[in-house]
Amino acid sequence: MSNEEVCAMFARWFEYVHDIPGLRSMIAAYGAVMAASAGITLMILINADVTTVPPWSMLDVWAVIAGATSAGAAFFFARHWIGGAGVLGFARASVGMVIVTLATGLVAGTLIAPGYGTLAGPFMLVSAFIVNPLLAIAWAVVHFGAHLLIAVRRQVKNNNEFGSSARAVTQLSAISQANLYGR
C-alpha cells in the first residue's frame, strides 16, 4: 500500500467515527478507564516488590496489558449501570464502579496468575486502595468522568433516535412524562 492509500483509509475511518453520534465520548471513557487500570496495575506491581523501575520483564508488560484489557471488559459488561441521568444515574454509576473494580481485579488476577490470581487479584486491588486512598480517589474520579462521558453518548443517541418524539414529550406535563415515558 502506498502512503496515499493509507492516508485515505484513515481519513475514511475518521470520517466514519465522526458520523456516529457520541462515539468519541464512548472511546474516551473506555480509554480513560483502561489507562487508569494499567497505571494502577503497574503501581500494585511496584508496591508489591514484584517489579521495579524499567527495564521491565515480559511478565510486567503482560500484567499491565492484562490490567487494561480486564478494565475494558469489566466496563463493557457493567455498561448498563453507567451513564444514567440524575441522582439515580449517579447511584447506579457508583454501583457500576464497584462492579467494574471487583471484576477488573478478578479478570486481571486470572490473566496474570491463573488460579491463585483469581482470588488474589481483587484482594490486592482493594488492599492497594486501602493503603493508598489517593489511588482510590483517582480511580473513582476516572470512573465518574467515564460515567459523564457515557451519559453524553446516551443523550446524543437518544436525541438522534427519538428526536421528534422527544420534542413532543417535553410539551407534556411532568406527571404525564413520568407516568407515560419513565424518564
Side-chain angles (χ1 to χ4, degrees):
M1 286 182 119
S2 68
N3 285 340
E4 293 82 22
E5 291 172 338
V6 171
C7 290
M9 179 180 68
F10 279 116
R12 282 192 305 270
W13 186 79
F14 283 121
E15 184 178 312
Y16 172 74
V17 168
H18 181 71
D19 287 343
I20 297 175
L23 183 65
R24 287 181 286 179
S25 64
M26 186 178 69
I27 290 172
Y30 275 87
V33 169
M34 291 172 72
S37 179
I40 288 172
T41 303
L42 186 61
M43 289 182 73
I44 289 173
L45 289 175
I46 290 172
N47 289 339
D49 292 329
V50 176
T51 188
T52 57
V53 293
W56 292 314
S57 68
M58 288 304 293
L59 178 63
D60 301 333
V61 173
W62 169 246
V64 171
I65 291 171
T69 55
S70 64
F75 195 72
F76 176 77
F77 288 118
R79 69 187 180 276
H80 298 295
W81 288 91
I82 299 167
V87 176
L88 182 61
F90 185 79
R92 287 176 55 93
S94 300
V95 173
M97 183 183 73
V98 171
I99 291 170
V100 169
T101 302
L102 294 177
T104 298
L106 185 77
V107 174
T110 303
L111 290 174
I112 294 168
Y116 170 74
T118 305
L119 181 63
F123 288 120
M124 288 183 75
L125 185 59
V126 171
S127 65
F129 287 159
I130 291 170
V131 169
N132 192 353
L134 289 177
L135 196 62
I137 291 171
W139 181 249
V141 166
V142 166
H143 272 278
F144 287 121
H147 161 70
L148 294 175
L149 288 169
I150 296 296
V152 167
R153 164 129 166 91
R154 283 190 180 182
Q155 183 179 13
V156 168
K157 187 177 176 184
N158 288 340
N159 286 343
N160 284 346
E161 290 178 0
F162 308 112
S164 60
S165 64
R167 285 189 290 276
V169 169
T170 59
Q171 295 175 0
L172 297 173
S173 69
I175 294 173
S176 296
Q177 287 180 18
N179 287 332
L180 297 174
Y181 296 100
R183 289 186 176 207

